[in-house]
Amino acid sequence: MAELIDIKNDYEIGSRFLFDVAKELSLVLDDEYRVVIKYDWEEYNFPDNKKHVIFSTSREIHDHPIEFEDKRVAVFFHNYSILDRWGFPVEDKRIIPMPLGPFVNDIEKKVDIKAFHEREYDFCFMGQLPHTGTRDKFKRCLDKMLEETGNKFKYFVKYTDNFNTGLSHEEYAHLLNNSKVCLCPQGATSNETFRFFEAISLGAFPMVELLPKFWYYELSPVFFTRWESLDKYLSKTLNFLNSEDGSKVLNDLIDYNAKVLNPKWLALFFKQLMSERNI
């Protein structure tokens, strides 16, 4: 078993998903490794020559961790992992992109997951508008669609001024659990968002415009759109999901939760990747 160090020791009050994955990985690695959880801007003093496994949370700008050049690090599991100028993942055997997972701790445990046909809302969105030109465009397109389509869709939409405000965690969980599709616009500087994983964990399909080509998105049950044509894409998606063929896609949600959003499965998956890369 590998030693586990959580530098700030505060993941219980934030996103515990990353901590749980790191903990599970430490349980299946040998004691020649040390697993360290840290924020991107924190220094870490390497006490010995153990193989260090760094779980690095960054600042949404997809940059290199501070220790990137330090050979004492065997592997980085990286939130907002590194992209090239065209938006593709940088190839480096020491860097393994790590899904953000849900931000709200144990969100899926707060409700009994509803069957798809029992959900009240065709789609939902609740979130912050950062005034960067990214979600501003999203809001303009969404507002325009709602004005033009009237009561065509059943929906819940609420804009907030700050992160993690607007509804309580329990209310937010019930909203996702009561929605068929969750609109997931990009953040201020990244196309990734916690909302994507929170939706899946509660049985709602994320709808996005762009995603980085990380392995965990390639496996995901996601629908793509253009915000300026949201009416068309939503109608097409909902018609498909309510069809006989669409019922098969529901199994993809279940499978994704059982694998990618399951810390134990993810830890074993990462261990296998490390072995394949001779790390």
Side-chain angles (χ1 to χ4, degrees):
M1 183 173 69
E3 180 185 8
L4 175 65
I5 298 176
D6 177 6
I7 292 180
K8 292 184 72 70
N9 196 30
D10 66 351
Y11 277 88
E12 289 296 319
I13 62 175
S15 173
R16 202 172 66 232
F17 176 76
L18 182 144
F19 175 83
D20 288 343
V21 175
K23 180 180 178 181
E24 293 295 337
L25 184 61
S26 71
L27 294 175
V28 297
L29 291 179
D30 297 332
D31 63 2
E32 64 178 318
Y33 295 92
R34 177 178 290 116
V35 179
V36 179
I37 306 173
K38 64 181 292 296
Y39 291 107
D40 184 68
W41 54 86
E42 290 171 337
E43 295 288 350
Y44 173 71
N45 296 318
F46 297 88
D48 51 37
N49 291 322
K50 283 195 174 187
K51 295 179 180 179
H52 285 81
V53 176
I54 303 291
F55 280 76
S56 178
T57 63
S58 83
R59 296 161 294 166
E60 294 191 44
I61 57 177
H62 297 275
D63 61 350
H64 289 76
I66 293 172
E67 300 89 354
F68 183 69
E69 302 298 335
D70 198 311
K71 300 308 179 184
R72 290 172 293 185
V73 179
V75 62
F76 296 95
F77 292 102
H78 203 323
N79 284 161
Y80 305 112
S81 197
I82 304 166
L83 300 170
D84 63 21
R85 68 176 67 183
W86 297 281
F88 287 88
V90 169
E91 296 283 344
D92 189 301
K93 83 168 194 173
R94 293 197 307 149
I95 297 175
I96 299 178
M98 165 82 184
L100 298 175
F103 181 81
V104 180
N105 290 335
D106 296 328
I107 187 172
E108 76 284 354
K109 297 178 183 178
K110 298 178 183 294
V111 296
D112 293 324
I113 304 299
K114 278 189 175 184
F116 191 75
H117 67 276
E118 296 176 349
R119 296 174 180 241
E120 177 182 359
Y121 300 118
D122 292 322
F123 73 89
C124 71
F125 172 77
M126 190 203 72
Q128 178 186 7
L129 298 176
H131 306 293
T132 61
T134 54
R135 287 191 188 168
D136 297 331
K137 172 195 170 184
F138 163 76
K139 181 180 184 299
R140 289 194 302 271
C141 293
L142 177 55
D143 288 346
K144 182 174 184 291
M145 186 202 75
L146 296 179
E147 181 180 353
E148 292 177 348
T149 59
N151 62 358
K152 177 179 178 179
F153 301 106
K154 294 181 180 180
Y155 61 88
F156 181 98
V157 172
K158 181 179 179 64
Y159 304 123
T160 64
D161 294 325
N162 297 292
F163 178 70
N164 203 26
T165 62
L167 293 175
S168 69
H169 289 177
E170 185 174 355
E171 290 171 328
Y172 178 53
H174 280 288
L175 171 63
L176 293 176
N177 189 41
N178 203 23
S179 301
K180 297 177 179 178
V181 172
C182 177
L183 306 183
C184 298
Q186 69 187 78
T189 57
S190 172
N191 291 330
E192 298 197 76
T193 171
F194 289 103
R195 181 179 293 103
F196 183 96
F197 303 99
E198 290 161 352
I200 293 176
S201 71
L202 284 160
F205 288 91
M207 177 169 277
V208 305
E209 191 170 50
L210 293 170
L211 283 175
K213 295 188 179 299
F214 296 139
W215 66 270
Y216 48 86
Y217 291 128
E218 299 294 315
L219 297 175
S220 68
V222 60
F223 290 92
F224 288 89
T225 185
R226 301 296 297 177
W227 299 129
E228 58 267 28
S229 302
L230 184 56
D231 179 12
K232 178 181 75 173
Y233 284 95
L234 263 175
S235 298
K236 183 178 179 180
T237 297
L238 290 167
N239 286 338
F240 172 74
L241 289 174
N242 288 317
S243 70
E244 184 176 343
D245 289 338
S247 63
K248 301 173 185 177
V249 185
L250 297 175
N251 291 326
D252 294 338
L253 282 173
I254 298 171
D255 191 56
Y256 199 83
N257 278 302
K259 293 181 178 179
V260 178
L261 295 185
N262 180 338
K264 289 186 178 181
W265 182 93
L266 198 53
L268 293 173
F269 174 75
F270 285 159
K271 181 184 178 183
Q272 180 62 31
L273 282 183
M274 292 171 63
S275 176
E276 291 172 359
R277 299 183 185 189
N278 296 315
I279 293 172

